[in-house]
């Protein structure tokens, strides 16, 4: 097994062992591509969501946040184009009956080629997909003798489209036509923002350019759902739609492209592990689109999308609802420009919270080995999660369960727990407790020992360097606050 793949399997096992992520309904053998976040995972996920929310809403005066419902009027998805075209081209292997997304099938095959051949194949595929040439895609698969991983045969069906939206019934009243009560589980959070554009603009007296941000669950019946929490059927998105004057989309597209990459770097992701990937085939609503990709343990993949969505969504909702959705631009009117009323254009930034989670933990997970002073080998697994994001900030550890040490530790805990997440533990040898804190990414451990009783000092241990220093117990809170801000 390649090193990265082994590390990735180790990371998945680590997430389970320490309570970050569990398979959903594991008791019943699990539900594929659905995951539950455990006690540490939920906290880390919340910290990531909070960091995004703060950067969008608190740090931008002209961006506000909303929380729209998951259920929406079914016509929303006709207007948005999802009913007609939220689908992926699929192909089935006739022998194994296994279904593949054609781009995934071809990309996986390309990984076995040298770089030049792989690039040529991917370019060919992109061009065929851009032209919706499904017969051409099938021929490409056959010409390259791409086989099914299970049956190992090249016996393929035609390429077909498969809609990814989940449907469910709404309300208790039975209808003769089941379609009457049918609603979709939203496949993206964006539409909840578009249909509330006028509500927010008017009640918030927002002036263009302005943004509306939202985080929340989205659902997609993904065909190929693999790679842990990278591709899930139920996941969380963090999206921001930025409403702008028509004609200014290039400028704002470039602005948000740069802004979002910088934000990811501020989350501790190295520049060298991030890159832009321009879309060749544009979605029906976009006039420009780029992915910010991260180098996951299984290769470069999309982490966030920046899309210039034109006025497509607002115009579609105006058309389908038969309501006027426009903005009156007072500034333009005053400047004597020919129009004051227009349908705003939109730049969207859209990141999956679970993918960001996977990025942060892939980046953080480190297996370290070294020789101790006496020459014997030692090792640890440490989650180098940036301190501001770590689920637990401070572990408070009395050296012994007696001699009044737990009482002092509890007092420190009471002093700190209102300000940041603390963890108290008095069981096991101190070295073992440190290792456990390393494994969950706790940036600081404080040990209370007998000397504390004499001079009110404690040992503070730093996760990344494992260095320890003696500081006054009254300084602990400030030190941690500085480290996590
Ligand atoms: P992909 O090409 O990987 O299917 P996409 O282009 O369909 O992604 P978008 O519709 O642009 O993705 O969604 C925005 C973001 O939502 C993505 O960048 C990704 O972070 C996240 N996302 C999309 N689908 C999933 C999924 N099935 N599981 C987890 N996150 C997802």
């Amino acid at each position: 097994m390649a090193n990265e793949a082994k590390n990735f399997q180790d990371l998945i096992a680590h997430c389970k062992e320490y309570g970050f992520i569990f398979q959903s309904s594991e008791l019943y053998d699990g539900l594929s591509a659905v995951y539950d976040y455990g006690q540490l995972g939920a906290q880390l996920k919340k910290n990531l969501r909070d960091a995004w929310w703060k950067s969008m809403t608190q740090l931008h005066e002209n961006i506000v946040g909303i929380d729209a419902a998951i259920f929406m009027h079914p016509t929303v998805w006709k207007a948005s184009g999802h009913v007609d075209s939220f689908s992926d081209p699929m192909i089935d292997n006739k022998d194994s009956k296994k279904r593949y997304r054609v781009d995934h099938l071809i990309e996986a095959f390309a990984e076995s080629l040298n770089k030049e051949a792989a690039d040529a194949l991917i370019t060919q595929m992109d061009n065929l997909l851009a032209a919706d040439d499904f017969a051409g895609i099938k021929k490409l698969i056959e010409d390259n003798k791409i086989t099914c991983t299970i049956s190992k045969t090249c016996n393929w069906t035609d390429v077909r489209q498969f809609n990814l939206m989940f449907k469910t019934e709404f309300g208790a009243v039975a209808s003769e036509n089941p379609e009457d009560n049918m609603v979709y589980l939203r496949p993206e959070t964006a539409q909840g923002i578009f249909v509330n554009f006028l509500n927010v603009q008017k009640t918030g007296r927002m002036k263009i350019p302005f943004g509306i941000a939202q985080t929340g669950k989205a659902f997609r019946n993904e065909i190929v759902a693999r790679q842990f929490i990278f591709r899930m059927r139920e996941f969380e998105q963090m999206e921001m739609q930025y409403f702008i004057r028509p004609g200014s989309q290039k400028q704002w597209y470039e602005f948000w492209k740069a802004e979002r990459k910088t934000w990811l770097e501020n989350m501790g992701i190295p520049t060298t592990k991030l890159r832009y990937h321009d879309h060749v085939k544009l979605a029906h609503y976009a006039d420009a689109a780029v992915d910010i990709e991260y180098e996951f343990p299984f290769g470069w993949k999309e982490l966030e999308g920046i899309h210039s969505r034109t006025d497509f969504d607002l115009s579609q909702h105006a058309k389908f609802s038969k309501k006027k959705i426009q903005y009156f631009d007072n500034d333009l009117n005053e400047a004597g420009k020919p129009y004051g009323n227009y349908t705003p254009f939109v730049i969207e930034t859209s990141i999956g919270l679970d993918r960001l989670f996977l990025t942060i933990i892939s980046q953080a997970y480190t297996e370290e080995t070294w020789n101790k002073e006496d020459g014997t080998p030692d090792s640890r697994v440490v989650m180098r999660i940036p301190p501001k994001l770590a689920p637990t900030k401070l572990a408070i550890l009395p050296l012994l369960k007696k001699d009044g040490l737990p009482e002092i530790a509890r007092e420190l805990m009471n002093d700190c727990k209102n300000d940041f997440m603390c963890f108290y533990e008095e069981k096991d040898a101190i070295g073992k407790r440190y290792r456990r804190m390393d494994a969950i990414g706790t940036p600081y451990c404080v040990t209370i020992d007998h000397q504390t009783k004499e001079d009110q000092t404690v040992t503070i241990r730093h996760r990344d360097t494992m260095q320890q220093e003696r500081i006054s117990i009254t300084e602990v809170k400030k030190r941690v606050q500085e480290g996590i801000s």
Side-chain angles (χ1 to χ4, degrees):
M1 206 187 298
N3 220 9
E4 285 79 18
K6 185 187 169 302
N7 278 346
F8 189 49
Q9 291 312 317
D10 290 346
L11 171 63
I12 295 172
H14 187 87
C15 282
K16 181 175 172 196
E17 187 181 344
Y18 287 93
F20 283 93
I21 298 172
F22 309 120
Q23 176 77 57
S24 158
S25 322
E26 194 188 347
L27 207 52
Y28 294 94
D29 296 333
L31 187 64
S32 144
V34 188
Y35 290 90
D36 297 339
Y37 286 81
Q39 63 280 16
L40 291 173
Q43 184 62 49
L44 174 55
K45 194 174 170 198
K46 180 182 181 306
N47 294 350
L48 292 170
R49 192 191 297 112
D50 288 350
W52 182 90
W53 184 264
K54 181 178 175 187
S55 82
M56 282 296 178
T57 64
Q58 195 173 325
L59 301 181
H60 291 98
E61 291 173 29
N62 62 345
I63 301 182
V64 290
I66 64 165
D67 182 12
I70 288 173
F71 291 135
M72 300 185 78
H73 193 287
T75 311
V76 166
W77 305 108
K78 291 199 179 103
S80 68
H82 283 79
V83 171
D84 290 334
S85 54
F86 189 57
S87 47
D88 282 333
M90 304 289 165
I91 197 164
D92 293 19
N93 184 270
K94 288 185 191 163
D95 299 317
S96 69
K97 310 279 183 267
K98 188 170 163 57
R99 180 167 289 167
Y100 294 85
R101 244 176 81 170
V102 292
D103 54 335
H104 290 167
L105 181 68
I106 297 171
E107 276 166 13
F109 174 76
E111 280 169 20
S112 66
L113 305 176
N114 65 42
K115 188 174 177 327
E116 207 176 314
D119 287 351
L121 181 66
I122 298 295
T123 307
Q124 252 179 309
M125 175 187 82
D126 282 345
N127 291 338
L128 290 166
L129 286 175
D132 285 331
D133 182 352
F134 292 163
I137 283 280
K138 185 178 180 191
K139 189 164 177 310
L140 187 71
I141 291 171
E142 287 172 343
D143 288 351
N144 282 279
K145 301 196 174 49
I146 301 177
T147 55
C148 165
T149 50
I150 295 174
S151 68
K152 314 282 182 225
T153 67
C154 190
N155 191 10
W156 297 108
T157 61
D158 287 341
V159 175
R160 282 180 308 231
Q161 294 282 18
F162 181 89
N163 196 294
L164 303 181
M165 281 197 292
F166 284 100
K167 291 177 192 166
T168 189
E169 276 174 46
F170 198 71
V173 184
S175 157
E176 289 190 359
N177 180 5
E179 291 288 300
D180 291 348
N181 292 345
M182 198 269 302
V183 289
Y184 297 100
L185 296 188
R186 68 180 175 197
E188 62 175 29
T189 56
Q191 298 304 323
I193 294 179
F194 294 127
V195 299
N196 277 300
F197 167 76
L198 283 182
N199 285 338
V200 175
Q201 191 271 316
K202 288 196 177 356
T203 57
R205 307 194 313 142
M206 309 300 292
K207 278 183 75 173
I208 273 180
F210 75 90
I212 304 178
Q214 129 156 278
T215 71
K217 286 275 171 103
F219 304 83
R220 297 183 184 179
N221 200 2
E222 299 280 4
I223 300 307
V224 187
R226 56 191 161 135
Q227 286 152 341
F228 196 34
I229 56 168
F230 179 79
R231 190 174 301 285
M232 302 154 87
R233 297 202 165 102
E234 172 180 342
F235 59 100
E236 197 165 333
Q237 286 188 314
M238 306 193 288
E239 298 198 300
M240 192 280 299
Q241 311 294 330
Y242 203 66
F243 298 94
I244 55 172
R245 281 181 186 165
S248 64
Q249 64 267 35
K250 260 208 162 77
Q251 169 207 335
W252 285 115
Y253 176 68
E254 291 305 328
F255 172 85
W256 281 108
K257 217 174 125 173
E259 181 92 352
R260 292 304 304 152
K261 187 153 173 283
T262 306
W263 184 79
L264 291 169
E265 286 160 5
N266 286 340
M267 291 291 104
I269 308 166
T271 316
T272 50
K273 300 251 271 159
L274 292 169
R275 72 178 186 194
Y276 292 118
H277 172 76
D278 290 310
H279 284 209
V280 179
K281 179 178 161 66
L282 290 172
H284 57 276
Y285 51 76
D287 71 359
V290 65
D291 294 337
I292 302 180
E293 294 186 335
Y294 170 72
E295 192 177 17
F296 286 95
F298 40 83
W300 288 96
K301 299 274 179 209
E302 170 178 349
L303 168 60
E304 170 154 6
I306 321 287
H307 309 126
S308 172
R309 291 182 80 123
T310 66
D311 60 356
F312 176 83
D313 302 273
L314 293 183
S315 300
Q316 285 292 99
H317 288 307
K319 189 169 134 199
F320 278 74
S321 66
K322 302 195 178 57
K323 310 245 164 64
K324 192 170 158 197
I325 307 181
Q326 286 213 318
Y327 174 78
F328 182 70
D329 197 326
N330 222 2
D331 295 346
L332 273 187
N333 233 34
E334 276 168 9
K337 296 272 166 56
Y339 57 87
N341 258 326
Y342 55 77
T343 307
F345 272 41
V346 170
I347 304 296
E348 165 183 83
T349 74
S350 174
I351 183 166
L353 176 51
D354 312 270
R355 270 193 207 176
L356 178 62
F357 189 108
L358 183 58
T359 302
I360 296 295
I361 58 171
S362 303
Q363 197 56 45
Y365 181 82
T366 320
E367 292 172 7
E368 289 179 355
T369 50
W370 67 93
N371 282 336
K372 288 196 279 202
E373 269 171 23
D374 64 4
T376 53
D378 207 350
S379 68
R380 67 168 182 165
V381 170
V382 53
M383 287 289 242
R384 294 175 177 272
I385 302 169
K388 64 182 170 191
L389 299 173
T392 304
K393 311 296 189 195
L394 173 66
I396 300 175
L397 316 170
L399 191 63
L400 300 174
K401 262 193 255 178
K402 54 181 186 177
D403 301 340
L405 303 185
E407 287 72 19
I408 301 173
R410 283 284 176 200
E411 214 174 295
L412 179 61
M413 177 96 180
N414 285 338
D415 186 32
C416 292
K417 73 181 181 192
N418 199 33
D419 295 78
F420 44 78
M421 203 51 96
C422 302
F423 178 78
Y424 176 88
E425 188 166 53
E426 55 186 27
K427 277 197 298 279
D428 292 331
I430 195 71
K432 213 165 170 190
R433 283 185 264 170
Y434 285 155
R435 284 291 188 279
R436 241 186 338 253
M437 289 302 111
D438 288 345
I440 65 168
T442 306
Y444 301 101
C445 293
V446 157
T447 307
I448 285 96
D449 55 19
H450 289 100
Q451 196 184 325
T452 312
K453 285 170 68 177
E454 280 154 31
D455 62 7
Q456 285 76 52
T457 64
V458 294
T459 303
I460 185 163
R461 175 185 181 271
H462 301 264
R463 175 196 70 195
D464 293 345
T465 57
M466 292 191 276
Q467 280 193 337
Q468 304 185 10
E469 50 174 324
R470 204 81 206 172
I471 62 170
S472 160
I473 195 162
T474 56
E475 245 187 75
V476 171
K477 184 151 98 178
K478 192 164 142 268
R479 271 296 194 95
V480 176
Q481 267 165 337
E482 277 166 11
I484 63 174
S485 67

